[in-house]
Amino acid sequence: MKLRTSTVTQYDYRSIGKTVNNLVRARTYQFHVVFMDDKLIDEWLEFQTTKRKSCLNSAYRHFDSKNSLANYRQNGRYRDDLSLSSNLSTYKFWPLLRVDQKKRRYTKNLQNELVIKQKKRPIMYASHRDSCVMSFYAFLLKRNYESAIKNTPLNNCILGYRRIPVTPQNNKNKSNIYFANDLYNSLHQMEDHVVLCIDIKGFFDNIDHALLKSSLAPFLNDIPMGNLRTIIKNVTKYRYIFAKDAEQLLGTKSWDKPELYNKLIRDTKYIHKNKKSYGIPQGTPISDILSNIYLYDFDKSVISKLSSIEGHTLYRRYCDDILIIVPSRNAHAIYCFVSKIIKNYRLEIGTNKTEAFYINSRAKIFRDITRKYVSNYKKNKEFIQYLGFYINLDRIIIRSSTIENHYRKVKKIRGTRHNTKGDINKKHLDTYENDCNKIVTNKSIQKQILNVKKHTKKILVNNQKRHQTNTYT
């Protein structure tokens, strides 16, 4: 920070006094900013070290070199990027690297025939240095967001992209197993209620840029607006290149050579830009908190509407998946209210994933009533599909597609790794079993995991035999 100095005469004591006071104030402000910078950056570093996937240990290839914790320690060469007193207007962001994740989904049609569908989800990866800059400002926004929803109904309703402790005294955070078990327990308190499972269609791809910028206003405390504006600009008007194109141009070796990028990629047809007034990329470190902030007023409106209803109500949102429980007499009105108000955010409900169930736990009634809300709906489902689980009044089990994905991963394991037991939802199978035994009160999921472990063992034995046969032949 540059300090102003002024020229004074030898005998102008009043002017000297003012100059000294101004210098002291400037020095004090400078030290305050530096102190706040160091404190916030150290908190961010500590937060990153507790994450399973951190921008400081990411291993994917990009146009710059990989990060390390040392780069952001005291006097690290990248630490100045995160300083609140720095100016990001001259910071140059690399294009995002686009990878289309393809997932096969197995479903059955009305004739009970197996149907295979493939879903493509574009994931954008920021460069390693850009990821840290975005991650730091996402950290600041999350602090302000958490402060805003603390001690409000929103604190228990918004589940996605947050760390929600199991208990105030416990450092362990809730996982999807906790959320699914909470829903299972809630169903047994329902009498003459309806569960609405609502999906927001193309959520990230349709976030309106003007509305996003205006929604940030309540969460800008102690965040330099100029720097945040630069980051938001690069998230909304983002540039990207397909990973397959980058590999074709730069080869399979290291890409972190600016001269190669400038020669082969820069200002070419391979660089794409989002020219629309809506849509943010999935995969950047700041996208998740921006999505929660974008629906902050929407969440408050729905909760306010539900609070005016007599009887038990429940509202939960995990990113673009909304779950609402209301008395049956109010269900249709609430569905219409959500369908209408979501349009104020340039979004709409995806009817192909929307479901509704009538529940009366005392009479043991669990009935699919989706056809009342979605036209041309002809299925009759026995479970609520929620965060990777199937749930009804009798059982809570892991979704079949999750189990099938697990088996496909295990089949790819070589025979020399026969002790590996695979994973479910990115958790080791034994860890997942222990968590379910501790959290889930219903025993059906425990039986299911035992069967999965037995079948997994068979697959691994076959893998080993096949590997030995291939080795000898």
Side-chain angles (χ1 to χ4, degrees):
M1 179 179 177
K2 295 182 180 180
L3 301 178
R4 285 189 176 182
T5 57
S6 58
T7 306
V8 296
T9 60
Q10 184 178 1
Y11 302 103
D12 191 356
Y13 296 108
R14 184 176 298 178
S15 180
I16 291 174
K18 289 182 179 180
T19 303
V20 171
N21 287 337
N22 290 337
L23 286 172
V24 170
R25 291 193 190 100
R27 289 284 186 184
T28 304
Y29 174 75
Q30 183 183 22
F31 294 148
H32 174 71
V33 170
V34 170
F35 173 74
M36 288 298 295
D37 278 2
D38 287 337
K39 184 179 178 182
L40 289 173
I41 294 172
D42 289 338
E43 286 181 15
W44 170 76
L45 286 172
E46 184 179 355
F47 177 76
Q48 290 297 317
T49 55
T50 61
K51 294 177 66 175
R52 185 176 60 86
K53 285 188 176 181
S54 167
C55 60
L56 295 175
N57 60 15
S58 54
Y60 57 86
R61 282 185 301 173
H62 217 290
F63 302 125
D64 63 344
S65 57
K66 298 172 184 177
N67 281 321
S68 67
L69 192 62
N71 290 341
Y72 293 91
R73 289 294 188 193
Q74 190 70 27
N75 300 323
R77 61 193 183 100
Y78 292 143
R79 195 177 175 94
D80 288 343
D81 292 343
L82 310 182
S83 174
L84 299 181
S85 57
S86 64
N87 185 2
L88 290 181
S89 61
T90 57
Y91 183 90
K92 301 298 182 183
F93 285 85
W94 290 99
L96 302 173
L97 199 64
R98 174 171 169 171
V99 177
D100 290 338
Q101 291 185 354
K102 297 178 181 179
K103 289 187 177 181
R104 287 186 296 177
R105 292 194 172 183
Y106 298 83
T107 59
K108 290 186 178 181
N109 57 19
L110 296 175
Q111 289 74 35
N112 205 29
E113 297 172 339
L114 186 65
V115 178
I116 302 176
K117 296 181 179 180
Q118 190 176 67
K119 182 179 180 181
K120 183 173 70 174
R121 175 176 292 177
I123 303 296
M124 310 281 190
Y125 294 94
S127 74
H128 301 289
R129 190 172 178 180
D130 296 349
S131 288
C132 287
V133 174
M134 291 181 183
S135 175
F136 178 68
Y137 280 86
F139 171 74
L140 299 180
L141 285 172
K142 285 179 181 178
R143 280 166 53 99
N144 294 341
Y145 178 79
E146 292 293 334
S147 178
I149 68 174
K150 188 178 181 180
N151 300 324
T152 70
L154 281 175
N155 195 37
N156 296 322
C157 297
I158 311 305
L159 308 180
Y161 312 124
R162 297 180 59 217
R163 293 188 174 188
I164 304 175
V166 177
T167 62
Q169 298 78 22
N170 194 338
N171 292 329
K172 187 177 180 180
N173 297 312
K174 288 186 176 183
S175 64
N176 286 3
I177 303 174
Y178 280 95
F179 302 142
N181 189 60
D182 290 343
L183 174 60
Y184 174 76
N185 293 332
S186 296
L187 295 184
H188 290 82
Q189 302 172 13
M190 304 294 108
E191 295 180 9
D192 192 31
H193 281 71
V194 169
V195 179
L196 298 172
C197 303
I198 299 172
D199 175 75
I200 301 175
K201 184 178 179 180
F203 181 30
F204 284 89
D205 295 335
N206 290 289
I207 290 179
D208 186 82
H209 295 167
L211 291 177
L212 174 62
K213 293 171 185 177
S214 62
S215 66
L216 289 168
F219 308 100
L220 300 179
N221 186 34
D222 294 331
I223 300 179
M225 190 55 201
N227 289 351
L228 186 61
R229 189 182 295 114
T230 300
I231 294 173
I232 298 300
K233 179 182 177 181
N234 282 275
V235 172
T236 53
K237 300 299 180 183
Y238 58 92
R239 298 175 301 136
Y240 67 92
I241 179 174
F242 285 94
K244 59 181 182 180
D245 290 338
E247 187 170 329
Q248 183 180 356
L249 293 168
L250 301 178
T252 58
K253 295 183 179 180
S254 179
W255 296 351
D256 56 343
K257 295 178 180 179
E259 60 274 12
L260 283 179
Y261 171 83
N262 292 334
K263 180 181 178 181
L264 300 175
I265 296 180
R266 185 177 180 180
D267 299 328
T268 65
K269 64 179 182 179
Y270 297 102
I271 299 294
H272 307 272
K273 185 176 181 180
N274 180 33
K275 297 181 180 180
K276 301 175 183 177
S277 61
Y278 55 88
I280 65 173
Q282 293 187 59
T284 71
I286 202 171
S287 298
D288 54 359
I289 182 59
L290 291 181
S291 67
N292 274 345
I293 288 176
Y294 187 75
L295 290 182
Y296 175 70
D297 289 333
F298 168 81
D299 294 328
K300 289 200 302 181
S301 299
V302 176
I303 292 174
S304 176
K305 183 71 173 178
L306 292 175
S307 64
S308 64
I309 295 175
E310 280 189 40
H312 182 79
T313 61
L314 183 75
Y315 175 73
R316 296 290 184 267
R317 183 177 65 80
Y318 194 108
C319 188
D320 56 354
D321 292 325
I322 298 172
L323 184 136
I324 299 175
I325 299 179
V326 290
S328 60
R329 63 182 181 276
N330 305 107
H332 190 267
I334 289 296
Y335 180 79
C336 293
F337 174 79
V338 173
S339 302
K340 181 180 179 181
I341 196 174
I342 198 71
K343 294 179 181 178
N344 296 338
Y345 302 86
R346 308 292 193 271
L347 300 171
E348 62 181 63
I349 289 175
T351 55
N352 60 326
K353 291 185 179 180
T354 295
E355 299 173 349
F357 299 87
Y358 175 80
I359 295 176
N360 190 324
S361 60
R362 179 175 294 184
K364 300 291 184 182
I365 298 175
F366 182 94
R367 188 166 63 246
D368 187 349
I369 59 170
T370 307
R371 60 181 59 87
K372 291 185 177 181
Y373 301 89
V374 179
S375 58
N376 300 325
Y377 182 86
K378 298 180 180 179
K379 297 180 181 179
N380 187 22
K381 295 187 177 181
E382 299 178 356
F383 296 96
I384 298 172
Q385 184 173 283
Y386 184 63
L387 302 182
F389 294 87
Y390 289 145
I391 305 171
N392 62 16
L393 289 173
D394 299 321
R395 289 189 292 172
I396 170 173
I397 57 176
I398 304 169
R399 192 171 60 182
S400 57
S401 60
T402 304
I403 302 296
E404 291 164 1
N405 288 334
H406 161 72
Y407 288 148
R408 280 194 291 273
K409 290 179 183 177
V410 174
K411 286 179 181 179
K412 294 179 182 179
I413 296 174
R414 290 192 174 187
T416 53
R417 295 173 56 196
H418 62 275
N419 291 327
T420 304
K421 294 184 178 179
D423 60 78
I424 292 182
N425 288 340
K426 301 179 182 178
K427 282 190 176 184
H428 193 277
L429 195 53
D430 287 339
T431 305
Y432 201 81
E433 181 184 26
N434 292 334
D435 287 348
C436 288
N437 290 340
K438 293 177 183 177
I439 300 166
V440 180
T441 53
N442 186 274
K443 302 298 181 183
S444 56
I445 194 171
Q446 299 169 12
K447 295 178 181 179
Q448 183 190 31
I449 293 178
L450 286 175
N451 292 330
V452 170
K453 292 181 73 173
K454 288 179 182 178
H455 191 62
T456 300
K457 188 175 181 179
K458 290 181 181 179
I459 295 174
L460 290 169
V461 170
N462 291 334
N463 288 354
Q464 187 179 18
K465 290 179 180 178
R466 187 171 63 251
H467 176 74
Q468 290 174 348
T469 303
N470 294 337
T471 300
Y472 291 127
T473 56

